[in-house]
Amino acid sequence: MRLLVWFFLALFSIIFQTSVFDKLEIFGAKPDLLLILIVYANLDKKMYKGLAVALIGGIFADGFSGTIFGIQLICKQVDALITQFLSRRLFVNEKFVKILIIAIVSVADKVVLCSTCILLNQNMNTFLYLVKNTAIIILYNVIASLILFRFFDYIFILGDKIYKTCYMIKKKLQA
Amino acid sequence: MKRVLVPVIILCTSIIILTISYNYSQDNIKSVFLNLLHPFQKLTSSVYKSSVNLKRAIFSVRQMRSREATLEKELESLSIEIGLLRSLHAENKKLRELLKIKNKYNYQIIFAEIIGGDITGLYDSVIIDKGRKDNIENNMPVTTARGIVGMTQDVGAYSTRVITILNPNCKLGVFVGKSSLRGVMQGKGDYCIIKYISVEENIEIGNKVYTSEGGGIYPEGIEIGKVFRIDKNLHDIFQIVYVLPCVNIRNLDRVAVIKNK
């Protein structure tokens, strides 16, 4: 049930990222919804769930980007692993720590993406992409994450409530 | 042990997927994704656009009235111009028939709306709402009234990815200004550069750059942009010409795909 919610969250993140968030560009930077979702999924230290969300997100991202299929998959897996590593060593309930993780993962995502492109000899603006708006992207991701983390919390609380109600109804009907 | 093994397995699988897709064509995979997500993307994009339009309409009723008047005048003059062009076209056709010259240009224009961008920001591309069902194929030129935008790349049934001229993978034959100096233009993120023009050739800042028929994709003579910088080193064979596109590619709503009949 929960994995299904994660699946749809990843799907809608990609849809919003490519349509609505594409218009919210400031100085060439836009918030990375999928990255925020992956960090959120990996903050509670459950490795399988976190990696599964990164896998789903990575596949969607690859399908939607113009790059070679598989690049985003690696990036998102690395993002998930970094979040797992940091969340095991830091006190993640603090807002500041969450912000710090988002900032670190944002930079790591860019570095991994650019290095993979260079390794695969992809003819892209890797240096420009890496240097140009990193600070703005970090800032944008941090601000977006403050809102989105609350939104994701709300979605899961609502999902649990719906699931419990359905379960109760089912039990009553069986009785 | 398990904690290390699982990520290693997943990372290895990702690398294997990447290696396989690096060596094989990904057209089919990409078009499946384009087809799957087209309805959602179209819906979100249209909801976003209508909300923006509504906001604009509420705040600028007066401006719209004055704009309407100017547009009406513009429409009138354009209609007259179209009438004149039609008569010229008819005359041109007759003369071609008399001289037995085969018509070189016979294009069909397919208008499309932009419904999405690239998620990475690394790869300059946009997604349009027309696909195979609308007779769109790979490597078709995409343009606006102001100038060239790029070319089609991954074609789905209902949507298509367009790589823009700012993308380093997009290379096209161009000519500069009236002197018709030919070179190859490549995207560089925020601008484009033209290579393979000899240092001895004289190009000035502000010269216009047009598409050339050389590559076989773009029709000749569509405006691309203006020269804003020239790097000339006398020890080199070629000079590098920097071009700023006349179309604001990052802020597009509608485009036209040119199909050669």
Side-chain angles (χ1 to χ4, degrees):
Chain A
M1 173 70 187
R2 280 213 156 198
L3 198 66
L4 206 69
V5 177
W6 284 112
F7 177 85
F8 281 106
L9 273 176
L11 180 70
F12 285 112
S13 303
I14 290 286
I15 294 165
F16 273 93
Q17 183 78 43
T18 53
S19 52
V20 180
F21 275 65
D22 205 49
K23 311 281 176 197
L24 302 176
E25 206 178 83
I26 298 175
F27 300 117
K30 46 195 168 188
D32 194 338
L33 264 178
L34 195 64
L35 183 132
I36 295 166
L37 182 76
I38 288 166
V39 170
Y40 179 81
N42 283 279
L43 277 178
D44 60 1
K45 300 163 199 168
K46 287 174 185 166
M47 186 182 270
Y48 296 116
K49 183 200 77 186
L51 287 175
V53 174
L55 188 82
I56 297 165
I59 290 171
F60 279 138
D62 268 324
F64 253 89
S65 70
T67 50
I68 295 172
F69 200 93
I71 290 182
Q72 289 287 331
L73 199 61
I74 291 176
C75 290
K76 300 305 170 207
Q77 294 297 335
V78 173
D79 292 349
L81 290 173
I82 291 170
T83 315
Q84 286 279 341
F85 177 82
L86 291 172
S87 62
R88 278 166 205 275
R89 278 154 186 82
L90 301 167
F91 187 64
V92 284
N93 287 340
E94 285 290 330
K95 205 176 257 180
F96 170 73
V97 177
K98 285 181 185 173
I99 288 171
L100 185 75
I101 292 174
I102 285 280
I104 294 169
V105 175
S106 301
V107 177
D109 184 73
K110 272 192 146 201
V111 172
V112 174
L113 182 63
C114 290
S115 345
T116 326
C117 283
I118 292 165
L119 273 173
L120 293 171
N121 203 15
Q122 286 287 290
N123 210 356
M124 292 184 188
N125 312 307
T126 38
F127 184 72
L128 189 80
Y129 177 75
L130 197 63
V131 176
K132 206 177 129 197
N133 346 310
T134 311
I136 304 161
I137 289 176
I138 293 169
L139 196 70
Y140 222 160
N141 278 349
V142 164
I143 294 166
S145 70
L146 292 174
I147 304 158
L148 286 168
F149 278 0
R150 283 195 173 186
F151 174 73
F152 294 146
D153 283 339
Y154 179 74
I155 291 276
F156 282 104
I157 292 166
L158 194 75
D160 281 345
K161 271 185 187 171
I162 292 167
Y163 183 72
K164 272 178 192 169
T165 322
C166 290
Y167 186 72
M168 293 288 277
I169 292 166
K170 196 184 160 188
K171 270 213 157 182
K172 272 185 185 175
L173 284 170
Q174 277 175 348
Chain B
M1 184 67 186
K2 220 176 177 183
R3 268 186 196 167
V4 183
L5 206 65
V6 174
V8 169
I9 290 169
I10 291 180
L11 269 176
C12 287
T13 319
S14 308
I15 292 166
I16 291 166
I17 292 172
L18 181 63
T19 320
I20 294 167
S21 55
Y22 183 66
N23 293 314
Y24 294 97
S25 163
Q26 307 156 49
D27 292 353
N28 295 334
I29 310 170
K30 298 271 178 180
S31 62
V32 165
F33 275 94
L34 283 172
N35 294 344
L36 265 175
L37 296 171
H38 170 256
F40 300 105
Q41 229 186 2
K42 178 101 182 158
L43 182 77
T44 24
S45 172
S46 56
V47 167
Y48 175 77
K49 275 177 189 167
S50 1
S51 64
V52 170
N53 287 342
L54 185 75
K55 200 177 129 193
R56 266 187 210 157
I58 292 167
F59 289 107
S60 58
V61 177
R62 274 187 196 173
Q63 278 181 356
M64 278 168 89
R65 272 185 198 153
S66 63
R67 212 172 156 219
E68 195 189 342
T70 28
L71 283 173
E72 264 175 20
K73 278 179 194 170
E74 213 170 293
L75 183 74
E76 212 169 306
S77 67
L78 282 172
S79 308
I80 296 163
E81 215 168 302
I82 287 170
L84 285 168
L85 284 170
R86 268 190 193 140
S87 64
L88 277 172
H89 180 70
E91 193 187 338
N92 186 15
K93 207 177 166 186
K94 269 182 199 170
L95 289 169
R96 275 181 181 278
E97 276 168 11
L98 280 171
L99 292 166
K100 289 178 183 169
I101 301 171
K102 205 183 162 191
N103 200 355
K104 214 161 105 185
Y105 305 110
N106 195 6
Y107 297 114
Q108 181 195 350
I109 289 172
I110 305 160
F111 289 101
E113 222 170 280
I114 288 170
I115 54 168
D118 191 82
I119 58 155
T120 55
L122 177 67
Y123 196 84
D124 294 287
S125 66
V126 289
I127 297 164
I128 56 168
D129 68 340
K130 294 280 169 2
R132 223 176 290 120
K133 300 263 176 191
D134 307 281
N135 299 325
I136 287 181
E137 289 157 23
N138 259 341
N139 300 331
M140 278 184 172
V142 179
T143 183
T144 65
R146 287 187 167 192
I148 209 92
V149 173
M151 65 175 185
T152 58
Q153 198 186 42
D154 304 318
V155 186
Y158 304 98
S159 55
T160 304
R161 179 184 305 284
V162 174
I163 58 163
T164 69
I165 50 169
L166 297 175
N167 190 314
N169 286 336
C170 187
K171 291 171 189 165
L172 60 148
V174 294
F175 68 88
V176 186
K178 288 169 191 169
S179 53
S180 299
L181 291 168
R182 283 169 199 270
V184 176
M185 198 180 84
Q186 187 184 11
K188 279 279 167 195
D190 289 335
Y191 55 87
C192 308
I193 56 162
I194 306 174
K195 298 173 185 172
Y196 312 122
I197 292 183
S198 168
V199 272
E200 287 162 13
E201 302 293 352
N202 195 19
I203 294 171
E204 284 169 15
I205 288 170
N207 277 7
K208 284 185 177 179
V209 180
Y210 301 92
T211 54
S212 115
E213 225 187 355
I217 295 174
Y218 299 92
E220 184 138 336
I222 300 180
E223 197 177 334
I224 297 170
K226 277 180 186 172
V227 175
F228 73 94
R229 193 178 132 191
I230 301 157
D231 275 359
K232 230 179 200 183
N233 195 343
L234 289 172
H235 304 293
D236 289 339
I237 305 168
F238 302 115
Q239 56 184 306
I240 295 173
V241 181
Y242 294 78
V243 181
L244 199 66
C246 46
V247 182
N248 185 359
I249 288 167
R250 303 207 192 279
N251 203 9
L252 284 172
D253 273 340
R254 284 181 195 87
V255 289
V257 184
I258 302 172
K259 191 185 178 186
N260 200 342
K261 279 179 182 171

